[in-house]
Amino acid sequence: RLAEQRIQKDAKRTRARSNEDVEIERMSQWNEQAGNSSGGEASGRALALELEPAFESSISYNIGTLYMYSHAAAPLTDMLAAWVKSVQTGPRLAPWDQDPINKRVLAAGLRRHPRDKRLALTFNGRLAMGVLPMLQFTTSFTYFIHRERRESVGSFAYALHAIFGHGKDKLRKTFIFREAGVWHDPPAYYDPSRTFLTYSTALPSRTQLLAEGGFEIIQLQLAEFARAVRLAAALNRTLLLPRLRCGNAAMAYPCYAWYHRAMAYFGWAVSQRVNMPRVCPLYYWMAERALVDLAGKFPAVQVRESG
């Protein structure tokens, strides 16, 4: 009987608490469970990573995937209305919608959450916001450059937002998705009657150059790539794009190397530059528009991403 009374009291207490308090506790428990995991996968599922620290991540907010809670329907409705209004500049939309959304909506009254360091209060304190783990909800940068780090914690990417890829046109994003294996091409793209040419790049023999990396190591491999393009055209074959070696040095370029990292798993110091992966993503070295234009002039020049 006493146990039953305790249960009833606990239920009343829970109902009396605000929806926000309950949700904060749920998110905190989820973060704690993720933080206490040791890197493996449980029951065949990928490790659920922690939210990024929302307030400190404000410099790199970029809208990609949103999850909204129904109990916050009223302020969310107001926020979305403000969102729509922020990108309207007379009869036209803002040329870059991200800037007004960040400045006029998300950053409006932005401050740390008083009870959860992973959350921030936004929209003049009316909403609590968390930033999804950047190793799993990725940009081009965190998908490719942070691949080894993601795998080292036993996780995988749920989404790829093809931004921060040194370009934003449709062709650049198509190649990014193709390399990741998430782009759907028509059957003709996979014509089995086509023949292919593939090759492996020769790494420089100088140990210091290999260790330092940098543009020089890319240049050496690009010279081989140019020769391979000519050979594939002469043989009437489609060249499978090579996987170029980046070198081992930490990257100083692009300039967002330090703050577009997954902060929860890399720390905060600006001096902690991100190491380049062993294999460079295509967007880092390839001018796909130049290749397409070249194929327009010389139809024998055909390339495809490696499988």
Side-chain angles (χ1 to χ4, degrees), residues 4 15-16 18 37 54 64 115 229 235 239 243 252 266 269 298:
E4 184 180 345
R15 285 194 296 269
S18 69
S37 300
R115 294 189 296 282
V229 170
L235 297 174
L239 177 64
R243 300 184 184 278
F266 282 94
F298 304 99

Side-chain angles (χ1 to χ4, degrees), residues 32-271:
E32 183 178 354
Q33 290 168 0
N36 289 336
S37 300
S38 58
E41 294 186 9
S43 303
R45 294 177 298 176
L47 173 65
L49 302 184
E50 295 184 44
L51 295 174
E52 305 291 341
F55 184 81
E56 289 82 356
S57 299
S58 61
I59 193 172
S60 59
Y61 286 164
N62 196 287
I63 305 305
T65 304
L66 295 173
Y67 292 94
M68 302 179 184
Y69 289 96
S70 59
H71 70 256
L76 280 172
T77 300
D78 293 342
M79 185 199 75
L80 293 174
W83 193 324
V84 171
K85 185 178 180 180
S86 73
V87 300
Q88 292 176 333
T89 55
R92 297 184 177 183
L93 296 178
W96 183 44
D97 60 355
Q98 192 67 52
D99 187 59
I101 289 170
N102 279 348
K103 290 181 177 177
R104 301 178 194 173
V105 182
L106 296 182
L110 184 72
R111 60 185 186 274
R112 299 176 189 276
H113 198 285
R115 294 189 296 282
D116 193 324
K117 65 180 181 180
R118 293 282 170 184
L119 303 180
L121 291 177
T122 187
F123 196 50
N124 294 313
R126 297 183 62 191
L127 288 167
M129 179 177 67
V131 176
L132 295 167
M134 291 172 67
L135 286 179
Q136 292 181 302
F137 296 85
T138 64
T139 65
S140 304
F141 182 77
T142 52
Y143 182 88
F144 290 104
I145 305 299
H146 290 339
R147 182 193 298 273
E148 291 182 8
R149 182 57 171 152
R150 178 168 51 253
E151 293 174 350
S152 74
V153 296
S155 190
F156 59 82
Y158 290 114
L160 169 56
H161 191 186
I163 55 175
F164 305 126
H166 307 324
K168 56 184 179 181
D169 65 339
K170 180 180 178 181
L171 186 61
R172 169 54 55 100
K173 294 191 176 189
T174 298
F175 268 78
I176 288 172
F177 287 134
R178 279 175 175 163
E179 185 177 12
V182 295
W183 183 257
H184 178 73
D185 280 293
Y189 187 76
Y190 305 99
D191 182 1
S193 66
R194 294 164 68 183
T195 55
F196 298 92
L197 175 69
T198 183
Y199 75 100
S200 299
T201 57
L203 296 176
S205 58
R206 287 175 288 173
T207 305
Q208 183 178 2
L209 178 60
L210 184 59
E212 291 178 357
F215 190 62
E216 293 79 6
I217 194 174
I218 297 295
Q219 282 186 311
L220 291 172
Q221 296 171 93
L222 286 180
E224 290 187 330
F225 174 66
R227 290 192 291 270
V229 170
R230 291 193 292 268
L231 178 59
L235 297 174
N236 195 28
R237 296 191 175 195
T238 298
L239 177 64
L240 295 183
L241 294 168
R243 300 184 184 278
L244 301 192
R245 176 69 184 272
C246 278
N248 300 328
M251 67 186 303
Y253 178 85
C255 61
Y256 50 74
W258 68 267
Y259 62 75
H260 278 298
R261 67 181 67 195
M263 292 181 177
Y265 289 85
F266 282 94
W268 302 101
V270 176
S271 60

